[in-house]
Amino acid sequence: MKTIRFPTPDALFDHAAARIAAVAAEAVRARGRFVVALAGGATPRPLYQRLARAATVDWTAAHVFFSDERCVPADDPASNFGAAKASLLDRVGIPDGQVRRVAGERNPIDAADAYEVLVRDALGPEGRFDCVLLGLGADGHTASLFPRHQALTETDRWVLPVHVSTEPAWRVTLTLPPINAAHRVLFLAVGAAKANAVRALVERAPIPAAHVRPSGGECTLLVDTEAATLLDA
Ligand code: 6PG
């Protein structure tokens, strides 16, 4: 995994937006479309705002999924889809049917089953996203793959419902197989609160995020100075 440090969050998000625009253009050239799984949480929102202004992305060729989702309605403030919709999806012209959200208002088990069908239908048997965006929790979780959770060892299902101790308690997450099949994985970590998790990830300590190792793809960690505090100079 390659780690790139940035002096400020703005510098990180500027780079991330340019990198994703380049990945999208390459995917469209190579495969005729750009299939991306967006990260949840608060960190990526400035990135999505930048992507909404990126003139070089052909959004008509984009197919948007989510790395995970909280089991809440789309208009709930906790919804990852709702956040991406406001900061990006409503601002760019993605054709109907090319944004696939998790039906967070449904029963988690049914929502996960239905999402797996959408992912498999779109990706086919290879299951390769062009890009999976991931955040990093202070405890080392990523997507909704939390420490000591059985979803971490799943090898068959591509999407699972998970119950966690923090609210919203039910979530739906991509599992490691589709994440690790991706052409590119991009971690985003900003702020001092992530410094321990960033060090653990870089040192491959036994945290959930350290299980992300795309076998045939590129994995990159973007960190700002605060999140990189505990890394060797
Ligand atoms: C979610 C995310 C989760 C997130 C991390 C970091 O739905 O919350 O998918 O994995 O990326 O918890 O969250 P912040 O970016 O808000 O710190």
Side-chain angles (χ1 to χ4, degrees), residues 38-45 67-70 78 80 133-139 141-146 171 188 190 194:
L38 298 180
T43 299
R45 290 180 193 164
S67 302
D68 73 326
E69 183 56 281
R70 294 84 176 275
N80 289 334
L133 297 179
L134 293 172
L136 182 64
D139 63 355
H141 80 262
T142 192
S144 284
L145 299 170
F146 285 81
R171 300 176 180 220
L188 306 168
V190 169
K194 305 298 175 75

Side-chain angles (χ1 to χ4, degrees), residues 116-190:
E116 175 142 2
V117 171
L118 291 179
V119 173
R120 286 183 181 273
D121 282 353
L123 294 185
E126 272 203 327
R128 299 198 74 185
F129 282 99
D130 292 304
C131 186
V132 174
L133 297 179
L134 293 172
L136 182 64
D139 63 355
H141 80 262
T142 192
S144 284
L145 299 170
F146 285 81
R148 297 174 299 284
H149 200 287
Q150 67 185 34
L152 272 172
T153 56
E154 176 62 41
T155 55
D156 296 324
R157 291 290 304 271
W158 291 4
V159 179
L160 280 179
V162 297
H163 187 270
V164 296
S165 56
T166 54
E167 287 301 320
W170 279 102
R171 300 176 180 220
V172 169
T173 188
L174 290 182
T175 58
L176 288 169
I179 293 172
N180 282 332
H183 288 280
R184 283 179 174 74
V185 174
L186 191 61
F187 276 105
L188 306 168
V190 169

